[in-house]
Structure formats: C-alpha cells, structure tokens
Amino acid sequence: MKKLINDPADVISDALHGFAAAHPELRVDFENRVVVRGDAPVRGKVGLVSGGGSGHEPLHGGFVGPGMLDAACAGEVFTSPVPDQMVAATRAVDGGAGVLHIVKNYTGDIMNFELAAELVAAEQGTEVVSVVVDDDVAVQDSLYTAGRRGVGATVLVEKIAGAAAEQGRPLAGVADVARKVNSSARSMGLALTSCTVPAAGRPTFDLPGDEMEVGIGIHGEPGRRRVPVAPAHEIAEMLVSPILTDLDFTGGDGVIAFVNGMGATPLIELYVMFHEVAQLLAKNGITVARSLVGPYITSLDMAGCSVTLLKADEELLRLWDAPVSTPALRRGV
Amino acid sequence: MKKLINDPADVISDALHGFAAAHPELRVDFENRVVVRGDAPVRGKVGLVSGGGSGHEPLHGGFVGPGMLDAACAGEVFTSPVPDQMVAATRAVDGGAGVLHIVKNYTGDIMNFELAAELVAAEQGTEVVSVVVDDDVAVQDSLYTAGRRGVGATVLVEKIAGAAAEQGRPLAGVADVARKVNSSARSMGLALTSCTVPAAGRPTFDLPGDEMEVGIGIHGEPGRRRVPVAPAHEIAEMLVSPILTDLDFTGGDGVIAFVNGMGATPLIELYVMFHEVAQLLAKNGITVARSLVGPYITSLDMAGCSVTLLKADEELLRLWDAPVSTPALRRGV
C-alpha cells in the first residue's frame, strides 16, 4: 500500500487536523469529528447536516459553508458516523428553524441518523426532517443498502437545498427541494481499479488489468458486471444509457450534468468523459444547462468515474447558480 | 493502460471539447488549442498568457478567467505548445496594454514563447514581457531544463499576477509582481508511482512497490533520490526541509502554503500531508497566512504530492485574496 499517511488508524484524525489548518473559516469539533460552518448556528435559518463514512472527500466536510451544509460528520472510512456525532452536529447548527438531515441510503447511516434525530427532538425539541438520497441506478439492493445507493446526487442535493435554506425557506420547503433533486437525479459509476482501505492495506477487490467494473458503488461494492476495458465513448454509453432508461430527461430546462472522478482519475480524463456524455445527451435531445466536472464524491484511491444527471427546472437552476462558499465548491463571484 | 480515453492520439482534442462543453463562459480555439477568456481582449488590461504541455490539468486552461489568465495554450502531453499557438493566444488577449507570458522553465517552452513574442512584436507591435517560473529546489538542471524547473509556484504566479492585471496595473508592474512571486516561492515534489503517458501506454519509469522518488519533476523526470516508502510526517520533512534550507521563510506576513496532488492522490491524503506541513512550519517559526490544498498542477495519473511555499507580504496576500473566477479556482464570494 502506497499512501501519504501515517498510521492507518490515524488517517481521519490527521486529515481533519489538516482540513482545520487549511480552512480556518470553519470550526472543527475534533472530539466528535464534526465540521461546522464558522458562524453556526445561523439564527432563523434551517440548519443542514450531512455526513457519512470517510473516504469520499471532499464529501461531506468540503461542502460546509455559506450556501451549502452547516455541518458534516466524518465516520471511520466507509463506515457510518455514530449517532453521538450527528447529535453534536445537529445541536451546533440549530438556529431555531429546524434541521435537515441529508442521508445517503446505506443501512448504517439511515439507522444512526434516525436515532440522532429522535434524541435531539426528545432532549431539545429540535425539529428534524430527514431526506434520503438514493440515486444510483446500477443495482436495486447491495452490500450495505436496501434499495438504491446514494451517490453523486448527494452533492447536488447539498448544493441546491443549501441555497434554499440560505434564502430563508422554512424546513418543509427546504426538505421538499431536497426530495425534488433526489427524485429528479440518477447516477451510475464505473471502476477501473479497486480502492485500498488504509486499515486493510490491500485492494478491496481484485480487478484484472484488462477489466472494468460497471455500476460500482462508492465503497467498492459490486456493480452490475465486469467487462473488458473499453474506450471512453463506450464507457459513456454504459453509464448514460441506464440513466436515460430509468428516467425521462427530455424537456424541462435541460439537465445539470455531473461527471465525477473516483479519486485517482485525473481531470484530463474526466473532460474526455464529459465530451462523450455531452455528445450522447445531444443525440438524445437533452440539453446540458449546467455542468460539474471533477472529483467531488470519491472512493479513496479508486480510478474511475460516475455520471449524474439532474433534470432541472428554473427553480433548481436558480438555486444551483446561487452563491456558495465552501472549500470544495465556490460560485457567485 | 487503464484510462478513460479513446484513441491516445485524440486525448487532448477530446479533453478540450469536453472542457469547452463544461465551461461555455470561455472560448476554445480548437485549431490552435487555445483557451481564451470569454470577454477577451479586455481593453486597457494587460493580457496574461501561459501554456505548456498537457497532462498537468487543471493547469493552465482551468485557470483562464477574470482575475487570472486571459489565455492558455495546450501542447501535446508533456510537450511545449508551438509558437503559432502562443501567437494566436497573444493576439486574442491583446487589449492594448501589452501581454505577459508566464513560462515554466523548460527548454522547449522558453524557446517557443521567445519566438512567439518576437513574431507578435514584429507583426503587430504588441509589447510582450516574459516571466520565467523556476521554483523547484529538487535539482539544479534536469532532463528538460537548464536551471531549476517550474512547478507549483506557477499556480501562485498566475493567480497573483492575474489579480494585479485585473486591478489595471501596467505591464511592467504586473511583470514585477509575477517575478516577486517566483523569487519568493520554492517547491519540492514526491512520487509514489509513475505516470503513464497515453501514447506510450506504459509507466514512464519503474518505481518498485516499496519505494518513492523524492524530488520528482512534473513529467516524471528523475528527482534527487529513491527512498523506501515512509509515513507522511517523514515525507513532509523530506519536502519542507530542502525548501526551508533554500530560502528564509520566517518574518514577513507568513506564507501561502500549497499542498498539491499529482493527479492520482485523493484529497484525504493531501489533508494528512497539509497537517504535517503545517506542524513543521509552526516548529520553524513560520506562520501559515493562506493555504491551498488540492490537485492544481498534476502529472497525469501519478500518485504523489508537492509542497510549495510562498513568502508573502501584505501586497501578495491582498492580491491572493482578490476575486477570481476560473474553472479550477474561484474566490471572492
């Protein structure tokens, strides 16, 4: 295993300290492993909390800041944070207007966020609403999930619901927007290589040098099938086609097209993929209204990419375009 | 070779088309492979042009936009653009106040930018000043360089000189700022793995599974030495120590500390490295005034990182903080 780390047991603590040093405008609660917006709680604003296993950076801590999340909990690598972390995060961002939990659909995350919401409601009377993200069309159930996995759409939910909260919408309204993004978005991913979990010290799965895994999950969970390595235009077809089969993306005000890097794939390859995706969309009569290209929801050092499409309307585009100021996503200059 | 590409011969053209589709606010001259700011030329503003071999994305095209570069030329992978590309870029951004060429110190780039500057001066009377970036303390001469190589400081020169140009400073003033950044910055890099040039189809160099190359160049040029794989705190020492030996970074208004990913290293590892770098700087009495963590000047799919320190004063910090709106760097919300 070749990684820029110290003891594998210290990776998350070390990274959080580095994150805090690099982003002094945010607060980091090291004991609870929670990243909090510097001016939280913002009085009268709905607080947005997300979190999940580490290893998907910049998700979620890199999306904390004005216009996006108020707090993010970092679990162990690929492991849900515990309820105590979520309770600490929820308390830290409760500005009196309620708190939205944005939860990727994995069994552990769902259970722990539910428990945390109950605890905070009982102890403090904080109103908490949860929205579950389950946009992955690759598999119906998986290693860690009943139903579809939450993947790339999480980034779009956090950005767009974050903008709605920043505008002062009430909790029910912010939750509605988050659900609308999730229900209008679909994703599919592909791995060229496995990732290596630091504590394990070896690749999570074996993938021969001439094969790729189509429909991979962000923790290395099995996808749909293994196929021989193929050119980018065929890969784009393998990812876009199941997405378009699952939801009609024509009409409306076009799509937000998101080509995401899995962690070890350089930007030049993501732009090659974006070119292929954009051509396929054009061929299918779908307009690209906005785009996002880069490593935003990763899987440690996995090579590969995912495609997320969000069917947009004027409201979603306006919220997408709204100012945001986080370590990983800034807009509105 | 496992990459998200089509024919290796088409990588740059495909990526440029993807880049253009993802960033419609910029113009792409596909024939000359030049990315141009959408509103160029900006009348009365000094135009900033850079460029170099491809494979370092987001450098340079990802840094085109208000507050940074006016144009960037993309050469073949790890190969200087030709003078015609630089001429086209210079013409496209000539707003009547002269043009600054920001050139990384590689023999081909230096020669070609010189020739382009002479051609544009002779044909159009455009005043062109060149600033050479040579911040790499690893080696004195190298495979492609007489003198030091230009690496991480290029990003800082482009940002800070870009802000100076945006403020309306004259050509000589913008060039002075660029030279000041270069002379106040030092870098050193390290590879955990080789990169693979698409046209070659195999790793540029062999690096055993238990060794790293300290002082690596951004094209896989040899560094100072091979050493056994080491923990992050030792790696930080190997990178920071030669930088601090080369220039006194104490005093002033602290440093801009930049931990850069080489392309295949995920963000969580870069934050681990940033933690170690920040601790070393504190131990040496050096204040971190600003920071940048991420893959900004890469080497295709190489795993590894580099550290760049810039000794800052109030002027440089003000220019660093100035608004910028490019695909890869945004600030000022």
Side-chain angles (χ1 to χ4, degrees):
Chain A
M1 175 176 58
K2 274 183 166 181
K3 285 182 188 287
L4 302 171
I5 61 172
N6 296 301
D7 187 324
D10 297 332
V11 169
I12 293 159
S13 167
D14 287 352
L16 269 179
H17 277 90
F19 184 86
H23 306 293
E25 73 281 10
L26 302 174
R27 297 200 310 264
V28 178
D29 169 351
F30 293 107
E31 197 194 324
N32 287 302
R33 296 187 173 177
V34 175
V35 176
V36 182
R37 181 173 157 165
D39 59 352
V42 181
R43 197 107 299 270
K45 191 185 90 67
V46 171
L48 262 66
V49 171
S50 193
S54 292
H56 306 302
E57 292 68 25
L59 189 85
H60 298 270
F63 298 131
V64 174
M68 214 159 163
L69 297 179
D70 293 81
C73 316
E76 292 295 326
V77 170
F78 295 169
T79 303
S80 173
V82 295
D84 278 357
Q85 296 178 267
M86 297 156 179
V87 167
T90 306
R91 281 185 182 148
V93 308
D94 178 6
V99 174
L100 184 74
H101 286 177
I102 299 173
V103 187
K104 300 197 299 303
N105 189 34
Y106 300 97
T107 312
D109 296 74
I110 298 276
M111 268 179 32
N112 291 342
F113 266 109
E114 256 176 31
L115 191 54
E118 284 166 19
L119 283 169
V120 181
E123 285 173 21
Q124 302 192 288
T126 303
E127 193 185 356
V128 177
V129 172
S130 286
V131 170
V132 174
V133 183
D134 60 349
D135 55 311
D136 189 349
V137 302
V139 291
Q140 189 46 237
D141 300 294
S142 83
L143 213 51
Y144 308 117
T145 333
R148 288 177 166 183
R149 299 176 296 214
V151 289
T154 314
V155 178
L156 310 183
V157 169
E158 292 179 359
K159 167 65 184 83
I160 290 173
E166 206 71 35
Q167 288 182 349
R169 294 199 199 182
L171 181 56
V174 176
D176 279 348
V177 162
R179 284 190 206 100
K180 179 173 161 183
V181 173
N182 182 57
S183 67
S184 310
R186 297 290 188 275
S187 299
M188 177 106 165
L190 170 134
L192 294 177
T193 69
S194 173
C195 51
T196 295
V197 175
R202 56 194 185 77
T204 303
F205 57 94
D206 290 318
L207 192 54
D210 55 355
E211 288 186 12
M212 335 181 278
E213 174 104 14
V214 184
I216 193 79
I218 55 171
H219 313 94
E221 312 95 301
R224 286 188 172 189
R225 63 186 191 282
R226 298 238 168 136
V227 299
V229 167
H233 66 92
E234 289 180 25
I235 293 175
E237 179 75 41
M238 292 176 208
L239 299 182
V240 170
S241 173
I243 291 174
L244 299 189
T245 304
D246 204 82
L247 187 71
D248 177 13
F249 283 90
T250 56
D253 293 286
V255 298
I256 299 178
F258 171 26
V259 171
N260 173 63
M262 286 296 194
T265 287
L267 200 52
I268 190 169
E269 297 181 34
L270 299 181
Y271 279 120
V272 170
M273 283 301 301
F274 191 83
H275 176 45
E276 299 301 337
V277 169
Q279 283 179 295
L280 281 173
L281 295 178
K283 217 178 283 178
N284 284 277
I286 298 163
T287 307
V288 175
R290 301 290 187 278
S291 60
L292 184 66
V293 181
Y296 291 100
I297 170 170
T298 62
S299 189
L300 292 169
D301 53 355
M302 181 186 282
C305 71
S306 61
V307 173
T308 299
L309 299 182
L310 168 62
K311 185 169 181 174
D313 58 15
E314 206 194 308
E315 180 197 30
L316 295 187
L317 292 179
R318 212 170 39 236
L319 293 167
W320 177 252
D321 290 340
V324 59
S325 180
T326 71
L329 203 61
R330 285 173 196 270
R331 190 189 308 286
V333 178
Chain B
M1 174 176 57
K2 274 184 167 180
K3 285 181 189 288
L4 302 171
I5 60 172
N6 295 301
D7 187 325
D10 297 332
V11 170
I12 293 159
S13 168
D14 287 351
L16 269 179
H17 277 89
F19 185 85
H23 307 293
E25 72 281 10
L26 302 173
R27 296 200 311 261
V28 177
D29 169 352
F30 292 107
E31 196 192 325
N32 286 302
R33 297 187 172 177
V34 176
V35 175
V36 183
R37 182 174 155 162
D39 58 352
V42 182
R43 194 108 302 269
K45 190 185 89 69
V46 171
L48 260 66
V49 172
S50 192
S54 292
H56 306 303
E57 293 68 24
L59 189 85
H60 297 271
F63 298 131
V64 173
M68 216 159 162
L69 297 179
D70 293 81
C73 317
E76 293 294 327
V77 170
F78 296 170
T79 304
S80 174
V82 296
D84 278 358
Q85 296 178 266
M86 297 156 179
V87 167
T90 306
R91 281 187 183 146
V93 307
D94 179 5
V99 175
L100 183 74
H101 285 175
I102 299 172
V103 187
K104 299 196 299 303
N105 189 34
Y106 300 97
T107 312
D109 295 74
I110 298 275
M111 267 179 34
N112 291 344
F113 266 110
E114 256 177 33
L115 191 54
E118 284 167 18
L119 284 168
V120 180
E123 285 173 21
Q124 300 190 291
T126 304
E127 193 186 354
V128 177
V129 172
S130 287
V131 170
V132 173
V133 183
D134 60 351
D135 56 311
D136 188 350
V137 302
V139 292
Q140 188 47 235
D141 298 295
S142 82
L143 214 52
Y144 309 116
T145 333
R148 288 177 167 184
R149 301 176 294 215
V151 289
T154 314
V155 177
L156 310 183
V157 169
E158 292 178 359
K159 167 66 184 82
I160 291 173
E166 206 71 35
Q167 288 183 349
R169 295 199 197 182
L171 181 55
V174 177
D176 279 348
V177 164
R179 283 189 207 102
K180 179 174 161 182
V181 173
N182 182 57
S183 67
S184 310
R186 298 290 187 276
S187 299
M188 178 107 168
L190 169 135
L192 295 178
T193 69
S194 174
C195 51
T196 296
V197 175
R202 54 192 186 79
T204 303
F205 57 93
D206 291 318
L207 192 53
D210 55 355
E211 288 185 13
M212 339 180 274
E213 174 103 14
V214 182
I216 195 79
I218 55 172
H219 312 94
E221 312 96 300
R224 285 187 172 187
R225 65 187 191 280
R226 299 237 168 135
V227 299
V229 167
H233 67 91
E234 288 180 25
I235 293 173
E237 179 75 43
M238 291 177 208
L239 300 181
V240 170
S241 172
I243 291 173
L244 299 188
T245 304
D246 204 82
L247 188 71
D248 178 12
F249 282 89
T250 56
D253 293 285
V255 298
I256 299 179
F258 170 26
V259 170
N260 172 64
M262 286 297 193
T265 288
L267 199 52
I268 190 169
E269 297 181 34
L270 299 181
Y271 279 120
V272 170
M273 284 300 301
F274 191 83
H275 176 44
E276 299 301 337
V277 169
Q279 283 180 296
L280 282 173
L281 294 179
K283 216 178 283 178
N284 283 276
I286 298 163
T287 308
V288 175
R290 301 289 187 277
S291 60
L292 184 67
V293 181
Y296 291 101
I297 169 170
T298 62
S299 188
L300 292 169
D301 53 356
M302 181 186 284
C305 71
S306 62
V307 173
T308 298
L309 299 181
L310 168 61
K311 186 171 181 173
D313 59 14
E314 207 193 306
E315 180 197 29
L316 296 186
L317 292 180
R318 214 171 38 235
L319 293 167
W320 177 254
D321 291 339
V324 59
S325 182
T326 70
L329 205 60
R330 285 174 197 269
R331 192 190 307 287
V333 179

